[in-house]
Structures are given as structure tokens and as C-alpha cells.
Amino acid sequence: MECGAKLIEDLIENNIEHFYYEDATFLAEAYHNRADNERSLLLLAHCLTHARGYESAYHLLRSVSNPTAGAVLNTAKCRYLFAHCAFMLNRVQEAEHTLRGTSVSDQVQLHPCFAGTITLPYAHSLLARILCETNRVDSARIHWAQAIRLNPLLWTAVRAYCDVGGEKMVELLQPSLDEITEWKSVNGITDILIDSKEKDNIGERGQRLSSRIASGKIKSSSATTKNIFYNF
């Protein structure tokens, strides 16, 4: 990135950080008119959404007159932002189609541009919100579960999944917990603030909690999930 471009982007971000959205938008518009690339378009759209200008951001990303718009929706962040704007404007069908990339409504996969990106769990979570609001709770539960598998710290997805009757939370979180355990082992990290006896107690509590959830004695809930995080 050129020094001049970075300076302008930093100025825009600084305005956003201090809630000077009008100033940020003014700079972003001028910057995009000059740079006219995906990054400048995304930055301008973000400025508009920060100022609750969802309609303006929606039309900016959708407009075919913009030479970058056609290709931009093939990138994860811009496609997600467009879907978010459509959702906020109550254009839920268009938001769903944007996330899926197809009119098929029963597939778990999203548009290919999301694959392998940090945006993927957020896209699953947004689609779950759309499905839930259109009374397709079973499908919503599936996408919230996908979001949790990809990002177990996405707390709004965890809470929403539990609120709609999602179960087997331990199974969803276990792969990520295993990765953390392996990472600790590889890097020689130990919980030095917890003595061995306390570790055994925590392990026993975790096993009992997992068994009780699996047997149905405890229903999966956001409160239970908090305990899983805190006790790990």
C-alpha cells in the first residue's frame, strides 16, 4: 500500500473511531473516486453503515454503474456487508440469496467466496438470523452450529443457538478446545496458577457436566456454555 493511501485510510479510520462519520464519509468518497478499488469501496461502505446509511451503502455495493461493483461481490467482506445492509433494510430474501449465492434454500454451503475466510462464521450466523426471523428455526440452528464450529468465541451465535434449542454444545466446542490443548502442549504452556489438585477437580467437573448434558439431565443453555468457557 502506498504511503499516501495508508495516510488517508488512517484518517478515515480515526474519524470513525471518534464518531465523526460525516467527515469519514467525505474523505472516503474522495478517496474512492480516486482509488476506485475494492478496498476503497469497502471503506466507503463501512463509513455509510457506521452512520446508519444502510440504504446508501446497499446501493453503492449493488450499483452496476460502479466499475468495481460486479467483481466486488465475489469477495467475502463486500458480499457479507451487502447482505448485512439488505438484512437491515428488511430485504431478507435478497440477503439470503447473497449469502448463499443460489436460490436453493436448504443447502448448508454458502457462496464460494466465503470459503476459508474469517468472514465465513459471521456469514453463517447472519444467515441463521435471517432463517430464524422467517420461521425456519431448524435450518437456523444448523447455521448457528456451523458458525460456532468455525468460531467458538462468537458469543452471539452461541447464545442464539442455545435459545432456539440447540444441543450438544460440548461436541461443537470440543474440536476448538482440543486445538487449544494441543497448542499449549506444543508450546510448553501450563496453567501455573492452578495446582494439580484443582486441575483434577476442574477436569472431573467438566466430565460430569459433559455426561449430564449428553444424557439430557442438563439442557444446553447459554449459562451452561459460559461455565464451559470459564472452567476450561
Side-chain angles (χ1 to χ4, degrees):
M1 184 188 300
E2 296 179 0
C3 292
K6 186 179 187 309
L7 175 62
I8 295 173
E9 291 182 11
D10 286 346
L11 287 171
I12 294 170
E13 294 289 352
N14 190 51
N15 281 328
I16 292 174
E17 185 177 339
H18 292 88
F19 311 104
Y20 275 66
Y21 300 132
E22 186 176 350
D23 298 72
T25 302
F26 174 79
L27 283 175
E29 285 176 344
Y31 177 50
H32 180 56
N33 285 337
R34 180 175 180 178
D36 192 21
N37 55 36
E38 177 198 340
R39 188 175 181 85
S40 64
L41 179 64
L42 186 61
L43 190 57
L44 175 55
H46 270 300
C47 288
L48 293 169
T49 55
H50 275 295
R52 303 285 181 180
Y54 297 113
E55 188 79 40
S56 297
Y58 169 87
H59 286 292
L60 174 69
L61 293 168
R62 189 174 187 271
S63 175
V64 294
S65 63
N66 189 308
T68 59
V72 157
L73 290 186
N74 287 325
T75 65
K77 288 185 177 180
C78 284
R79 180 169 283 268
Y80 175 83
L81 184 56
F82 179 75
H84 175 72
C85 290
F87 175 69
M88 296 302 293
L89 294 169
N90 204 32
R91 296 182 171 111
V92 291
Q93 186 174 2
E94 186 172 12
E96 179 179 352
H97 185 273
T98 299
L99 292 169
R100 293 186 187 278
T102 176
S103 58
V104 178
S105 61
D106 59 351
Q107 67 174 22
V108 177
Q109 290 78 17
L110 302 183
H111 188 277
C113 75
F114 291 115
T117 69
I118 61 172
T119 307
L120 182 57
Y122 300 94
H124 275 295
S125 187
L126 177 57
L127 180 54
R129 290 176 63 190
I130 294 169
L131 293 169
C132 192
E133 291 197 9
T134 51
N135 299 316
R136 289 172 285 172
V137 177
D138 289 343
S139 295
R141 195 181 297 119
I142 291 171
H143 284 279
W144 268 316
Q146 285 290 97
I148 295 166
R149 288 190 187 97
L150 293 164
N151 184 353
L153 298 181
L154 197 58
W155 177 245
T156 54
V158 172
R159 183 178 58 195
Y161 176 76
C162 293
D163 287 345
V164 296
E167 298 179 346
K168 299 182 179 179
M169 182 59 68
V170 174
E171 291 183 16
L172 290 178
L173 297 176
Q174 195 59 54
S176 296
L177 298 179
D178 289 343
E179 286 183 12
I180 293 173
T181 301
E182 182 180 356
W183 179 80
K184 285 181 177 180
S185 176
V186 169
N187 290 277
I189 296 174
T190 58
D191 298 320
I192 58 175
L193 297 180
I194 304 176
D195 61 31
S196 59
K197 183 177 180 180
E198 180 62 17
K199 283 184 180 179
D200 291 341
N201 290 338
I202 290 174
E204 290 173 6
R205 289 200 301 271
Q207 290 293 332
R208 289 198 299 270
L209 180 61
S210 299
S211 298
R212 294 178 72 185
I213 291 175
S215 65
K217 293 179 180 178
I218 295 179
K219 294 295 184 181
S220 180
S221 67
S222 57
T224 300
T225 307
K226 277 185 179 179
N227 288 333
I228 294 171
F229 279 116
Y230 294 158
N231 287 333
F232 181 74

